[in-house]
Amino acid sequence: MKQKLLAVALVSALPLFAHAQSSVTVYGTLDASIGVENNDAPGTESRTVVQSGTQSASRIGFRGTEDLGNGLKALFNIEASIAADTGGTDSNLWQRRAVVGLQGDFGTLTVGREYSPIAAVAAASDILGHGFYGSSLVVFNTPTGAQPRLTRRLSNSVNYKSNAVSGFTVGAAYSTGESNIQDGPTGDLAGVSLEYANAGFYLGAGYHQIERLASGDDKEYGVGAGYKFGPFEVRAGYLAANPEGGNNKYEQANAGVSYEVGVNKFFLNYNQQELETGAKGRGVTLAYSYTLSKRTNVYASYAKLRNNDLGTFSLTSPANTIALPATAFGADPQVYNLGIRHSF
């Protein structure tokens, strides 16, 4: 009788044991600022704006793991944008990230909507961390009617990232365009990356190839580096998109430094964009962050971009773009912001 009672107790406890080996975390960031912006285009003037996502994109996400035993874990992550200024979100709710996968001694394998190999290199080589206006985040925004730039997120993708070995990690991704047009371009993207991180030093490189046209493949590539020494950190990168066809190449370079003392952190970043047509834009960002707690900080920033006579390049933050009309050649957009950011 005692044995039967013990067996019943063990069977009843199995769901509790399974629950103890899995976890789900709710997390997010809310970032709101007030600013004054001016795109310097004819017929426009400065305006005051309340915005979401100046230093970081506002978001909410759910992630979790389940221990499957023998060093193997199942994982998932879904993440949605939030507009802290209006309460809105994107039309595709989980468009920031939506993956399920496995993790073990072999590395991490995910399926779904995932960040591209180049996206990892671009973020790691940007002193602004893809925050504020004027970061390398602009390379992933393609103006209406323009040739494609670089790809940040991959829908319909299978992705792999190795565990670090002597500081090196390898990434690979394949995203299917899911086209069924006979003899037409598939829209598929294949990408790889190689990164090295050790003792504050970083080096990275990434490459994408996309079958967008039947006549040939688009190519995207980038390299980046960084080093942290004491209170200083320097980051620099080069990113390029070379769509099939003549005179279409887009290039971006950035270099920046930060200095951190106590709860104060200062940023200076230089950003340059160029098209094969001769259009150029050169920008600078100054930013300051004051830490109030482990999760909350306030910040101030200023960014300005100068276009040459052929340029109409924009200023971009994590959630907003100060765009120029296609005919506003030589306009010089600028913006000031004061904001607060809280993570949970």
Side-chain angles (χ1 to χ4, degrees), residues 121-143:
V121 175
S125 55
D126 184 349
I127 198 64
L128 300 176
H130 285 171
F132 302 109
Y133 281 91
S135 76
S136 65
L137 191 62
V138 70
V139 304
F140 302 110
N141 293 344
T142 299

Side-chain angles (χ1 to χ4, degrees), residues 14-237:
L14 284 178
L16 297 177
F17 290 132
H19 179 73
Q21 296 182 32
S22 63
S23 65
V24 176
T25 301
V26 181
Y27 68 93
T29 298
L30 284 177
D31 179 327
S33 69
I34 182 169
V36 178
E37 65 178 40
N38 188 345
N39 68 4
D40 195 40
T44 67
E45 60 183 9
S46 298
R47 64 173 186 168
T48 301
V49 292
V50 173
Q51 294 181 327
S52 174
T54 296
Q55 183 179 2
S56 300
S58 297
R59 71 199 75 169
I60 187 169
F62 301 82
R63 58 177 171 237
T65 61
E66 181 188 13
D67 190 345
L68 302 175
N70 297 318
L72 186 65
K73 291 183 179 180
L75 62 89
F76 81 94
N77 188 189
I78 53 176
E79 189 174 290
S81 294
I82 299 173
D85 52 345
T86 65
T89 188
D90 293 320
S91 56
N92 293 331
L93 182 59
W94 306 109
Q95 72 95 25
R96 289 187 57 84
R97 194 171 190 237
V99 296
V100 63
L102 295 172
Q103 186 177 62
D105 294 338
F106 58 87
T108 302
L109 181 70
T110 59
V111 180
R113 181 167 171 82
E114 181 64 286
Y115 286 93
S116 70
I118 283 181
V121 175
S125 55
D126 184 349
I127 198 64
L128 300 176
H130 285 171
F132 302 109
Y133 281 91
S135 76
S136 65
L137 191 62
V138 70
V139 304
F140 302 110
N141 293 344
T142 299
T144 302
Q147 290 294 331
R149 293 186 183 171
L150 285 81
T151 306
R152 189 181 187 200
R153 294 182 178 91
L154 304 174
S155 295
N156 312 312
S157 66
V158 179
N159 311 271
Y160 169 76
K161 190 162 188 176
S162 71
N163 295 326
V165 178
S166 299
F168 288 93
T169 56
V170 175
Y174 184 80
S175 171
T176 173
E178 299 189 348
S179 172
N180 62 357
I181 299 175
Q182 186 174 4
D183 300 324
T186 63
D188 295 356
L189 180 151
V192 293
S193 65
L194 176 63
E195 298 177 272
Y196 174 78
N198 185 40
F201 183 70
Y202 173 82
L203 279 175
Y207 177 80
H208 297 165
Q209 187 162 313
I210 311 162
E211 190 178 344
R212 183 177 60 90
L213 300 174
S215 57
D217 295 338
D218 295 352
K219 299 174 179 62
E220 306 171 352
Y221 42 91
V223 294
Y227 184 60
K228 182 174 176 59
F229 51 102
F232 291 96
E233 186 172 6
V234 293
R235 300 277 166 181

Side-chain angles (χ1 to χ4, degrees), residues 271-320:
N271 181 300
Q272 178 175 302
Q273 301 177 72
E274 184 173 350
L275 289 173
E276 199 170 357
T277 58
K280 293 183 180 180
R282 296 181 175 90
V284 64
T285 300
L286 298 169
Y288 167 71
S289 173
Y290 181 86
T291 300
L292 296 172
S293 71
K294 184 178 179 180
R295 296 184 175 186
T296 305
N297 71 285
V298 292
Y299 60 83
S301 65
Y302 168 75
K304 183 166 185 175
L305 186 147
R306 292 188 179 275
N307 282 293
N308 70 358
D309 292 341
L310 297 175
T312 57
F313 294 105
S314 61
L315 276 171
T316 297
S317 75
N320 302 281

